[in-house]
Amino acid sequence: MNAYVKKMFKKFLPMANRNFLQEAFSYLLTGGATTFVNYIVYLALLRSNFNYLAANTVAWIFAVTFAYISNRIFVFHSDNQVGKEFISFISLRFLTLLLENLLLILFIQYCSFHPFVSKIAVSFVTVAANYVICKWQIFRKPAKYKHSIKQQEGDGFHE
């Protein structure tokens, strides 16, 4: 690369990453709060002698409701239709509930781990899966939004 291209690349790379870093940081904060809601409900239900799968499912309902609201407002700044988006959010998150319950069964019944230790271990998988689902399926920007951004950037992109 010539010096001019390297200079421009160094100048614009931090700006391109700034949005990603801000979004990732916001997701980590709201995800931490969502995880807290999930753990508190899960622990409270375990202490009330709920079965671990029932406790996890009820905790999931509370956490998913909190996560949708916080992700919509603070992370992805979505302008999409609430009803359709919420149904999509719950439907796709349901897949991670199934994954989480299967992993809990594996860790608790077959590996004899404590239910709370299992919940923590399983959380790493579900947090990563939930971010990917939210970013690429639920809160994605409409095609017309992407098109207008490309035109504003002046890259010559036209449909």
Side-chain angles (χ1 to χ4, degrees):
M1 279 194 255
N2 68 31
Y4 177 75
V5 172
K6 285 182 182 178
K7 182 179 175 183
M8 294 304 290
F9 184 73
K10 286 181 182 179
K11 181 178 178 181
F12 289 108
L13 183 62
M15 290 184 347
N17 286 333
R18 189 176 309 139
N19 287 338
F20 170 76
L21 291 175
Q22 181 179 3
E23 184 176 279
F25 182 72
S26 297
Y27 184 78
L28 287 174
L29 286 178
T30 59
T34 299
T35 301
F36 181 75
V37 167
N38 193 317
Y39 286 178
I40 292 299
V41 173
Y42 182 70
L43 281 174
L45 294 173
L46 284 179
R47 291 196 183 270
S48 299
N49 295 321
F50 271 64
N51 170 280
Y52 69 92
L53 290 176
N56 189 58
T57 302
V58 172
W60 176 86
I61 292 167
F62 280 87
V64 165
T65 303
F66 178 83
Y68 174 74
I69 294 166
S70 60
N71 280 321
R72 179 177 171 80
I73 295 169
F74 300 113
V75 179
F76 299 108
H77 310 287
S78 177
D79 293 329
N80 296 335
Q81 179 193 19
V82 173
K84 180 180 177 184
E85 188 177 74
F86 185 65
I87 296 297
S88 177
F89 187 84
I90 289 174
S91 299
L92 291 170
R93 286 281 178 114
F94 184 73
L95 296 175
T96 59
L97 171 65
L98 295 176
L99 174 64
E100 187 170 339
N101 281 344
L102 288 173
L103 290 173
L104 285 174
I105 291 168
L106 173 71
F107 288 153
I108 295 168
Q109 289 184 359
Y110 296 102
C111 298
S112 300
F113 291 169
H114 187 275
F116 189 66
V117 172
S118 299
K119 177 79 168 169
I120 292 170
V122 167
S123 293
F124 289 101
V125 174
T126 56
V127 165
N130 285 333
Y131 177 78
V132 171
I133 288 170
C134 284
K135 176 71 178 168
W136 300 110
Q137 289 298 317
I138 300 166
F139 295 110
R140 67 178 180 228
K141 301 292 182 192
K144 64 182 179 183
Y145 174 82
K146 291 177 187 176
H147 178 71
S148 68
I149 293 295
K150 292 214 182 261
Q151 285 181 339
Q152 289 173 4
E153 291 172 353
D155 67 356
F157 175 79
H158 299 285
E159 288 187 35

